[in-house]
């Protein structure tokens, strides 16, 4: 594999592709969405076979992937995402005349994307990272995940077909296979301008450090998962104990617990702990174990459980049974808040259907927990409205710790839309200012540029007089269209 050739092609493609209109980029993405749908019957069985995930889930994931592509196609066709901003000149200003300054977002350049094992479609080859980078105008060099190579090749082929059909250069998307050394070489290559990653904390942090050691450091948008705590308040639990046990277990065990938004930590008041634990245990008993994504992930799950079993602070309500290693069985352990607070290791993600139930005594416990809690993708609060009236300080602390704060429902099930935030303070991601799901994901791969006194005929369409694209722009401090 000649990496220099791959990056030379990507850079050449970039200089052409970045200048295409939003309509042209949108047409390419729409073509890709159609091609993926036309290939559903081939893609779905491959992904099912390689991921051990059920057909219904994979079918849904392909629908999500295609929907996501269409969302970005519409976003770039509409065009306002570039944040066009114009401060007109004022030649009569004294003591000095004012220049004409026009600013918008321009794509960064070639982006390296690492796909996730747990979403072989929606967070992989044509997943959110790849598509948001392509939508912004950046070519993508995609590092395939070894857990689903055939699925990845097939989807890459669909992307190449879409490029061919819309007469775009092949260098806009390159599919690369290989191990850790290949991934690191992609991140180190001087032409790479940004990295997007979904996976383990170890992998994401290693790539982040590598990118910062380069002669030219580059941004790394690594989504590294979290434990997504749920905070339960006494009245809410007392009122809805059965249904909250059902919701919790359904979310915990969805996809055999292999979601970055899986609720692995739940804070329960002492007054309700026994009753809630009983209700959860009853639900867990009805869940059969199911195959995990690959043997390595199953092994990592059982290793983590085994380590936790050596900790005497934990009382096991249900122990995972590694009889058939590939199968992930559910597990639940209980711990006092005072013990949980003493060791950061109890905050570590266990990727699978395991949860830790932390029993708190009072408000002081809650405030200490919120202060020591690590950064999360999500935090969920289950409380009656009246229980939250005096909790503004706690909420204030919790807002600092997550990217999405939920007051109903469960954290699994991330909507793809305009307002979604899927990212959070470290260690859940390496850049809390960004999201990897939803329309704002596109902003990760663009940077602002300002043109000062640029001749009108040279300006990009988004910044021209008369607003030929008809997009939302801020002109002289006011939004207009
Ligand atoms: P992973 O081990 O982090 O691997 C993801 C991708 O990153 C793979 O392509 C892998 O390369 C590459 N990679 C990992 N470490 C690297 C390094 N030091 N340098 C260069 N490249 C590196 O994730 P996984 O295989 O999907 O699952 C393993 C664990 O990740 C799970 O047990 C779970 O804890 C966590 N996980 C988290 C999420 C999440 O949503 N945040 C999703 C899935 C998994 P190779 O191809 O060479 O292996």
């Amino acid at each position: 594999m000649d990496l220099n050739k791959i990056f030379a092609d990507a850079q050449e493609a970039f200089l052409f592709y970045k200048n295409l209109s939003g309509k042209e980029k949108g047409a390419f993405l729409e073509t890709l969405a159609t091609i993926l749908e036309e290939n559903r019957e081939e893609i779905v069985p491959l992904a099912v076979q390689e991921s051990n995930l059920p057909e219904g889930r994979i079918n849904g994931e392909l629908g999500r992937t295609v929907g996501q592509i269409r969302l970005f196609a519409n976003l770039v066709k509409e065009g306002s995402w570039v944040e066009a901003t114009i401060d007109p000149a004022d030649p009569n200003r004294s003591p000095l005349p004012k220049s004409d300054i026009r600013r918008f977002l321009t794509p960064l350049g070639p982006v390296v994307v690492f796909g996730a094992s747990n979403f072989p479609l929606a967070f992989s080859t044509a997943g959110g990272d790849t598509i948001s980078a392509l939508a912004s105008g950046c070519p993508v060099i995609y590092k395939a995940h070894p857990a689903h190579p055939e699925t990845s090749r097939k989807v890459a082929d669909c992307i190449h077909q879409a490029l061919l059909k819309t007469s775009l250069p092949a260098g806009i998307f390159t599919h690369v296979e290989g191990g850790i050394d290949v991934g690191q070489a992609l991140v180190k290559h001087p032409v790479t301008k940004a990295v997007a990653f979904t996976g383990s904390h170890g992998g994401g942090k290693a790539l982040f450090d590598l990118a910062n050691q380069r002669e030219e450091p580059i941004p790394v948008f690594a989504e590294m998962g979290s434990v997504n705590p749920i905070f339960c308040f006494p009245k809410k639990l007392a009122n809805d104990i059965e249904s909250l046990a059902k919701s919790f277990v359904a979310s915990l065990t969805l996809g055999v617990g292999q979601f970055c938004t899986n609720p692995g930590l739940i804070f329960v008041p002492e007054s309700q702990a026994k009753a809630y634990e009983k209700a959860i245990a009853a639900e867990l008993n009805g869940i059969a174990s199911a195959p995990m994504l690959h043997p390595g992930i199953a092994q990592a799950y059982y290793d983590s459980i085994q380590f936790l079993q050596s900790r005497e602070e934990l009382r096991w309500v249900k122990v995972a049974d590694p009889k058939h290693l590939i199968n992930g069985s559910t597990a639940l352990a209980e711990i006092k808040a005072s013990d949980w607070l003493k060791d950061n290791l109890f905050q570590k993600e266990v990727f699978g259907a395991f949860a830790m139930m932390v029993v708190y005594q009072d408000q002081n416990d809650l405030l200490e927990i919120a202060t020591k809690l690590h950064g999360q993708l999500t935090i969920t609060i289950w409380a009656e409205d009246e229980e939250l009236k005096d909790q503004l300080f706690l909420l204030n602390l919790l807002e600092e710790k997550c990217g999405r704060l939920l007051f109903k429902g469960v954290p699994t099930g991330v909507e793809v839309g305009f307002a979604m935030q899927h990212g959070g303070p470290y260690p859940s991601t390496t850049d809390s200012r960004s999201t990897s799901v939803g329309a704002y994901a596109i902003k990760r791969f663009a940077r602002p540029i300002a043109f000062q006194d640029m001749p009108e005929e040279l300006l990009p369409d988004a910044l021209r007089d008369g607003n030929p694209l008809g997009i939302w722009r801020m002109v002289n401090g006011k939004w207009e269209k």
Side-chain angles (χ1 to χ4, degrees), residues 32-48 51 53-70 118-128 131 151 154-156 158-159 416:
L32 171 59
T34 306
I35 292 175
L36 285 172
E37 265 177 343
E38 286 166 0
N39 283 270
R40 182 180 284 271
E41 283 184 10
E42 263 190 75
I43 294 170
V44 169
L46 279 179
V48 168
S51 68
L53 294 167
E55 193 180 323
R57 148 76 197 271
I58 291 293
N59 253 314
E61 197 180 317
L62 183 55
R64 178 191 174 99
T65 308
V66 165
Q68 195 162 247
I69 296 173
R70 295 213 163 104
N118 59 339
F119 279 91
L121 301 172
F123 284 80
S124 287
T125 324
I131 297 305
T151 312
K154 177 70 199 162
V155 173
C158 292
I159 302 176
V416 180

Side-chain angles (χ1 to χ4, degrees), residues 117-118 143 145-146 179-180 184 197 199-200 203 206 223-225 260 351:
S117 59
N118 59 339
K143 160 68 172 67
H145 197 289
I180 281 181
Q184 296 190 345
F197 169 96
S200 64
E223 194 269 80
M224 304 177 291
C260 45
F351 198 67

Side-chain angles (χ1 to χ4, degrees), residues 113-119 123 142-148 177-185 187 197-207 210 222-226 258-261 292-294 296-298 300-301 304 349-352 377 422 428:
V113 174
F114 290 79
S117 59
N118 59 339
F119 279 91
F123 284 80
Y142 179 76
K143 160 68 172 67
H145 197 289
H148 48 259
E177 294 181 56
I180 281 181
D181 50 336
V182 170
Q184 296 190 345
V187 172
F197 169 96
T198 306
S200 64
H201 184 267
K205 182 64 168 50
L207 295 174
L210 195 64
E223 194 269 80
M224 304 177 291
S226 68
Q258 301 164 114
F259 282 104
C260 45
T261 49
M292 296 188 79
L293 291 160
H294 59 80
I297 284 206
Y301 175 64
S304 303
E349 181 185 34
V350 175
F351 198 67
L377 294 169
H422 187 65
S428 64

Side-chain angles (χ1 to χ4, degrees), residues 171-230:
I172 288 174
F173 178 85
T174 309
H175 187 252
V176 173
E177 294 181 56
I180 281 181
D181 50 336
V182 170
Q184 296 190 345
L186 297 178
V187 172
K188 282 199 265 188
H189 198 281
V191 169
T192 303
K193 285 289 175 275
V195 177
F197 169 96
T198 306
S200 64
H201 184 267
K205 182 64 168 50
L207 295 174
F208 176 81
D209 290 342
L210 195 64
N212 281 289
Q213 284 155 14
R214 288 169 37 123
E215 196 176 323
E216 177 197 346
I218 51 171
V220 175
F221 302 100
E223 194 269 80
M224 304 177 291
S226 68
V227 284
N228 306 292
I230 299 181

Side-chain angles (χ1 to χ4, degrees), residues 431-469:
D431 192 334
S432 63
R433 297 164 298 178
S434 67
T435 177
S436 62
V437 176
Y440 281 91
I442 196 174
K443 308 258 180 175
R444 296 174 296 170
F445 306 114
R447 67 182 172 88
I449 181 168
F451 299 105
Q452 189 160 333
D453 294 324
M454 191 183 228
E456 164 71 15
E457 63 278 12
L458 296 183
L459 281 167
D461 286 348
L463 297 174
R464 286 200 171 198
D465 289 345
N467 196 5
L469 298 181

